[in-house]
Amino acid sequence: DGIRDVERSRGLGDVYKRQPIWSITKSILSSGFGHLIQSSQLKTETPISIFYTLDTSEKSSINIGNLLMMNSGVGDNLGYVSKSDPIQYILSEPLFFSPGTWWAYTSAGTHLLSDIMIKTTGQTTKDYLDNHILNPIGIYDYDWESIKDVHNGGFGINFRLLDMLRFGQFYLQKGKSGNRQILPQEWVDISTQSLVNFNAERGYGFLWWIDKQGDDITYSARGYSGQFIVVNPKRALVICVSSRTRNNNFDSLDKNIEIITFNILLTTSE
């Protein structure tokens, strides 16, 4: 209900085939932190200094919310994936700005979140999400890249298109699956609102992208080379895309979202 599934047979449109979803991984990780916060294991204000020994007071002021909003100052150095100690490598790098003063996209910052989930729960990130989010909503058939025993928090999940739709529908239903509330509605609402405003039309939540056109708001999870989960609550619609494009800059991805949502999806659903 509420899902429109359009499948195109161009080699990437098989809804049952696992595909790399790249940075959509981040939005899935966000749901796990919603569960951690719901169960009072963490707060968005929890400083990361309780998990790590840090070399500056600025780094010690970074909290969970900063990492979820990408305003921590941690740089987007993807070199961590090939290091012998990826977490220490990320933590030893200088900050790009003081936490909370600016915004910058960072997969390294979200990889810290994956490690923090392990430190908090004693489970792998995948096990925790499987137990509390993904398996309860019917997602089982996927894999997730691990780096030095930490699942990559920046990217690395391979999902079926069908499960991308399932995850988007879960958020459309405000964290419910059937009659069971898996995530509190409050978490879904806050994580998919514009907590960092880029301009009047675009912003960022807790690892979700926000797009506005007047009073019409959509939120989306986005992955490298054209992977999208787009949710429009006003029309109770979810649309997912698994594609391949050479244009991966933010302006290009924003234009794709505008085309998908406001030029096609919403006009055809009137």
Side-chain angles (χ1 to χ4, degrees), residues 2 18 30 45 70 107 112 137 146 152 168 240 257:
R18 283 181 285 185
S30 174
E45 300 82 11
M70 293 200 180
S107 292
L112 291 179
I137 67 173
S146 185
N152 192 346
C240 296
I257 285 290

Side-chain angles (χ1 to χ4, degrees), residues 194-206:
S194 188
L195 303 173
V196 178
N197 293 308
F198 304 149
N199 52 44
E201 296 180 343
R202 296 187 174 96
Y204 202 74
F206 284 152

Side-chain angles (χ1 to χ4, degrees), residues 170-223:
F170 170 60
Y171 263 73
L172 177 64
Q173 294 172 180
K174 301 288 188 179
K176 291 186 73 174
S177 180
N179 294 321
R180 182 182 174 190
Q181 192 77 44
I182 307 295
L183 277 179
Q185 178 176 333
E186 293 79 8
W187 176 260
V188 174
D189 288 341
I190 192 171
S191 62
T192 59
Q193 68 178 258
S194 188
L195 303 173
V196 178
N197 293 308
F198 304 149
N199 52 44
E201 296 180 343
R202 296 187 174 96
Y204 202 74
F206 284 152
L207 305 180
W208 288 89
W209 300 85
I210 316 302
D211 292 84
K212 295 174 279 188
Q213 192 172 83
D215 64 350
D216 213 342
I217 299 173
T218 66
Y219 56 88
S220 60
R222 306 182 188 179

Side-chain angles (χ1 to χ4, degrees), residues 34-156:
H35 192 274
L36 281 173
I37 291 166
Q38 167 197 5
S39 58
S40 301
Q41 297 182 67
L42 285 175
K43 297 180 179 179
T44 54
E45 300 82 11
T46 301
I48 69 169
S49 58
I50 71 171
F51 303 103
Y52 308 113
T53 300
L54 302 166
D55 57 7
T56 71
S57 58
E58 274 198 327
K59 289 179 183 177
S60 296
S61 70
I62 297 171
N63 61 35
I64 299 298
N66 294 139
L67 293 175
L68 288 167
M69 289 186 286
M70 293 200 180
N71 64 1
S72 66
V74 174
D76 191 30
N77 187 340
L78 297 181
Y80 73 87
V81 300
S82 61
K83 299 300 179 181
S84 60
D85 189 341
I87 299 300
Q88 187 54 43
Y89 175 77
I90 295 168
L91 294 173
S92 66
E93 290 280 284
L95 297 181
F96 276 55
F97 52 83
S98 297
T101 64
W102 200 249
W103 184 92
Y105 193 79
T106 170
S107 292
T110 52
H111 190 59
L112 291 179
L113 286 172
S114 183
D115 187 57
I116 288 169
M117 183 171 286
I118 294 170
K119 288 177 166 33
T120 302
T121 67
Q123 302 176 50
T124 69
T125 305
K126 184 178 185 298
D127 283 348
Y128 189 81
L129 279 160
D130 282 349
N131 292 335
H132 299 287
I133 305 291
L134 298 179
N135 290 175
I137 67 173
I139 297 176
Y140 298 91
D141 184 15
Y142 78 102
D143 55 75
W144 192 343
E145 172 192 47
S146 185
I147 306 170
K148 304 298 181 183
D149 300 321
V150 178
H151 287 94
N152 192 346
F155 51 94

